[in-house]
Amino acid sequence: MSRVVVLTGGVGGAKLVLGLVNLLPPAGVTAIVNTGDDFRHLGLHVSPDVDTLLYTLCGRANRAQGWGREDESWSFMAALAELGGPAWFKLGDRDLALHVLRTQALASGATLFAFTQRVAERWGIAATVLPMSDDPVATEIATAGGALAFQRYFVEHRCEPVATGIAFAGAAQARPAPGVIEAIGDRDTRAILIAPSNPYLSVDPILAVPGIRAALAAATAPVVAVSPIVGGDAVKGPTAKLMREFGAPVSDRTIAGHYAGLIDGLLVDGRAPAVDLGVASACTDTLMHDLNDRIRVARSALGLADRLGR
Ligand code: GDP
């Protein structure tokens, strides 16, 4: 069966992956997911982007909230706050079950890859969800006030500190998780997509795992990114803010430049084909409000990949 591989972060990327599994046989979709956001909190191993993919693909994602699980309750957080525990990172009661089980599995020797496959199977997810690595990689944001661990920056400080750099601690020693290099290099892989995830915080950690960039360069399948820029701004999160702080215009051209040498094409928002991007492109309305939008964006990205080939 022909396969589509997608490199993804959490919420923005999961939209495209959901479009893909509704456009293609889900078993032919492989998501390689950022784990640079993973951290230990209250003794638990939390994998926010992997969980977002799992919740989204099994229909349990909380659409209104934009993260976490649907039908959530907050008794644990209320009890924690009453005891003076840390309230800055919200763990819903149902969400907690996944973190507790994962922590237990990892402590008894399972890998993140194996645990993720187990949950995906349990929830009837036919697509393959692969953490980028089983080894710890921790995204850190350099600021004038010192380095901040990802969740401290993203959640506790709401991305407010000005970033002067981003590092991926542990990445140099990390190995791609089982199946990652194989999926990218598979001769049956029709296209490799880079989701419209945050390039600096969600995609770069994946690319920092040794072997992944080389596998993308050697792949026989075309690599197409979907730009996170819509109407001159990012849809959400710190993508545009980081661009400004790094002195780059908030534009598709900056995205194309960021992925230069890696991608064969870029899908951008708009009605007219983009010019002067330095890479082949196609356009559609890339804002993904509903499932039809997600399917349209997935179809357009694949259409560009098919047109380009390698
Ligand atoms: P996170 O890991 O949960 O922060 O999410 P991601 O990194 O996967 O996605 C965040 C990025 O997705 C942001 O840069 C947004 O601009 C982008 N994004 C979110 N929704 C959409 C959308 O509907 N269309 C496009 N083109 N980009 C989106």
Side-chain angles (χ1 to χ4, degrees):
M1 181 181 19
S2 102
R3 171 154 47 174
V4 172
V5 175
V6 52
L7 273 51
T8 177
V11 178
K15 291 183 183 176
L16 178 68
V17 180
L18 191 63
L20 285 168
V21 300
N22 279 276
L23 178 67
L24 306 168
V29 176
T30 298
I32 299 173
V33 188
N34 170 42
T35 58
D37 300 5
D38 288 25
F39 76 130
R40 272 192 104 75
H41 186 58
L42 297 166
L44 302 174
H45 183 112
V46 183
S47 285
D49 288 356
V50 171
D51 294 349
T52 295
L53 259 290
L54 293 171
Y55 290 152
T56 301
L57 292 174
C58 72
R60 284 173 175 77
N62 189 323
R63 292 284 306 275
Q65 191 173 266
W67 52 273
R69 270 194 70 152
E70 59 163 15
D71 196 19
E72 190 57 283
S73 59
W74 300 95
S75 303
F76 170 76
M77 285 308 296
L80 188 73
E82 196 181 286
L83 285 165
W88 64 272
F89 193 84
K90 305 270 181 285
L91 292 168
D93 300 334
R94 288 173 202 276
D95 190 30
L96 205 48
L98 189 52
H99 308 314
V100 169
L101 270 188
R102 176 190 292 117
T103 306
Q104 185 202 35
L106 296 180
S108 59
T111 61
L112 184 61
F113 163 81
F115 178 75
T116 306
Q117 305 322 297
R118 198 208 295 171
V119 175
E121 191 177 326
R122 180 87 191 174
W123 277 339
I125 296 171
T128 305
V129 179
L130 300 176
M132 67 189 199
S133 178
D134 283 332
D135 302 316
V137 176
T139 298
E140 293 171 356
I141 292 81
T143 74
L148 285 172
F150 178 81
Q151 299 296 346
R152 292 274 174 189
Y153 165 80
F154 196 78
V155 179
E156 190 179 29
H157 294 284
R158 297 181 301 280
C159 308
E160 281 162 10
V162 173
T164 54
I166 298 172
F168 309 112
Q173 293 79 42
R175 291 149 303 170
V180 167
I181 298 298
E182 293 80 352
I184 293 171
D186 190 343
R187 293 211 150 258
D188 283 338
T189 294
R190 165 182 169 192
I192 300 162
L193 305 181
I194 299 180
S197 294
N198 188 314
Y200 310 105
L201 296 174
S202 294
V203 180
D204 281 358
I206 304 176
L207 300 175
V209 176
I212 293 188
R213 261 182 193 277
L216 290 168
T220 53
V223 181
V224 164
V226 179
S227 174
I229 304 300
V230 175
D233 206 350
V235 177
K236 70 173 229 353
T239 303
K241 179 175 179 282
L242 287 170
M243 285 178 168
R244 287 186 211 102
E245 289 167 1
F246 295 153
V250 180
S251 67
D252 293 321
R253 204 186 156 89
T254 295
I255 300 291
H258 188 79
Y259 293 136
L262 193 72
I263 59 170
D264 302 295
L266 183 67
L267 181 70
V268 301
D269 183 66
R271 295 219 167 81
V275 284
D276 76 356
L277 289 178
V279 68
S281 69
C283 61
T284 188
D285 173 359
T286 67
L287 196 55
M288 295 177 274
H289 291 294
D290 59 21
L291 184 59
N292 285 335
D293 295 331
R294 288 160 169 73
I295 294 170
R296 184 192 59 252
V297 173
R299 185 183 288 119
S300 298
L302 284 180
L304 176 59
D306 290 346
R307 185 156 64 75
L308 294 173
R310 250 202 180 179

